[in-house]
Amino acid sequence: MHCKIQNYVYVLTCKNCSVQYVGESVIPLHKRMNLHRTFATSCAQLNEHYLNACPGASFSIQILEILSGNGY
């Protein structure tokens, strides 16, 4: 596995409180995680969590499944 995989299902886990967010993306993994880190295109609940419930906390990333095809 590498940081440029596409078309996958992933889970982010807050390293402070273990709350989890499941998502899927066709965007390469490294670019998708940058978007999460900058809150550019994240779920509103995820943004709320990292801005208010656990400010400054980091998250871990786990790939749950790599889907066939390119997702487009």
Side-chain angles (χ1 to χ4, degrees):
M1 191 166 327
H2 51 82
C3 66
K4 295 183 180 180
I5 63 169
Q6 292 179 261
N7 204 24
Y8 52 91
V9 179
Y10 63 98
V11 61
L12 303 179
T13 304
C14 177
K15 289 187 176 180
N16 185 54
C17 71
S18 299
V19 71
Q20 293 184 314
Y21 168 84
V22 176
E24 66 175 314
S25 185
V26 297
I27 299 171
L29 179 62
H30 69 288
K31 290 183 180 181
R32 184 68 188 117
M33 292 308 110
N34 283 340
L35 291 171
H36 275 302
R37 280 192 285 273
T38 61
F39 302 113
T41 59
S42 285
C43 163
Q45 290 88 357
L46 187 65
N47 290 349
E48 172 73 20
H49 180 79
Y50 287 106
L51 291 173
N52 297 314
C54 289
S58 60
F59 55 83
S60 64
I61 306 155
Q62 181 181 3
I63 302 300
L64 299 177
E65 185 173 1
I66 299 174
L67 306 170
S68 61
N70 66 8
Y72 293 101

